[in-house]
Amino acid sequence: MLFALRFAEPIARGEVDLTFRRWRRAQVRPGRPYRTPVGRLQVDEVDVVAREDLGPDDARRAGFDDVAALLAEADKHAAEDAELYRVRFHLLDEPDPRSELAASVPDADDLAAVCRRLDAMDARSGHGPWAWATLAAIAERPAVRAPDLAASFGRETLPFKADVRRLKALGLTLSLPVGYELSPRGRAVLASRT
């Protein structure tokens, strides 16, 4: 789930624990943790709600002054036939395992294992080698929009972002408000290749 950074402090203080999204089908599931720009959140409930059933408390708990502002935000990028979902969540106190992995510098055995994994990703790819090239591009062009990086490879944005998520799962990249950068782990891995 994406959140504007203005929600980070209110979520951290526990003041915001709802979000309203218009989706054709639910995009999150109760009981699952999600990484967001404002922290790691656990979804507690997801349900479809009617616009007319929303009140001032819903708006306040979602970080808005009133229901009209909440609905205006929810409607911004929604298809006409999308339903309105209420998502109740809480901030997780435990550290994100991927963040801890990204901050670590691999020892020789770990470094060799990650390099083998990247080589295998490149070898199995149906669209040509991408893993090492994507790491190098992010190192050379941090904080560049994903669509611009994807275009530099002649790729569509969504499949490119899915590949970057695979690198992030290995602790090699970090998401920025715009674009990506290599983590300390990613820098060490890329440096071992050159």
Side-chain angles (χ1 to χ4, degrees), residues 64-80:
F64 293 93
D65 292 332
D66 54 42
V67 173
L70 180 158
L71 291 172
E73 183 65 27
D75 290 341
K76 271 187 182 174
H77 306 289
E80 273 188 42

Side-chain angles (χ1 to χ4, degrees), residues 20-179:
F20 291 83
R21 307 295 171 103
R22 289 197 51 213
W23 295 319
R24 287 192 169 113
R25 61 179 176 77
Q27 301 295 307
V28 295
R29 293 185 190 167
R32 287 205 173 165
Y34 292 88
R35 291 168 186 86
T36 75
V38 299
R40 202 158 172 255
L41 306 176
Q42 173 131 348
V43 170
D44 300 313
E45 290 179 9
V46 180
D47 54 342
V48 176
V49 294
R51 298 165 83 86
E52 59 272 11
D53 291 341
L54 299 181
D57 188 54
D58 293 306
R60 181 190 56 73
R61 289 178 60 195
F64 293 93
D65 292 332
D66 54 42
V67 173
L70 180 158
L71 291 172
E73 183 65 27
D75 290 341
K76 271 187 182 174
H77 306 289
E80 273 188 42
D81 60 342
E83 296 188 274
L84 182 63
Y85 285 83
R86 175 178 42 217
V87 179
R88 189 172 62 79
F89 61 86
H90 68 275
L91 186 64
L92 291 173
D93 291 331
E94 61 201 44
D96 182 346
R98 285 193 326 190
S99 297
E100 291 181 340
L101 181 63
S104 70
V105 176
D107 62 23
D109 290 341
D110 189 20
L111 187 62
V114 173
C115 289
R116 283 193 304 272
R117 184 108 180 248
L118 293 173
D119 289 340
M121 288 174 157
D122 277 348
R124 287 190 313 264
S125 173
H127 54 78
W130 63 271
W132 288 105
T134 301
L135 279 180
I138 291 170
E140 292 169 12
R141 301 174 64 198
V144 171
R145 293 176 52 239
D148 297 333
L149 280 175
S152 72
F153 286 98
R155 298 189 61 202
E156 295 291 324
T157 302
L158 291 179
F160 175 81
K161 288 173 82 170
D163 281 345
V164 174
R165 281 193 298 276
R166 292 172 68 194
L167 298 175
K168 188 173 185 177
L170 296 174
L172 304 178
T173 65
L174 300 170
S175 295
L176 301 173
V178 174

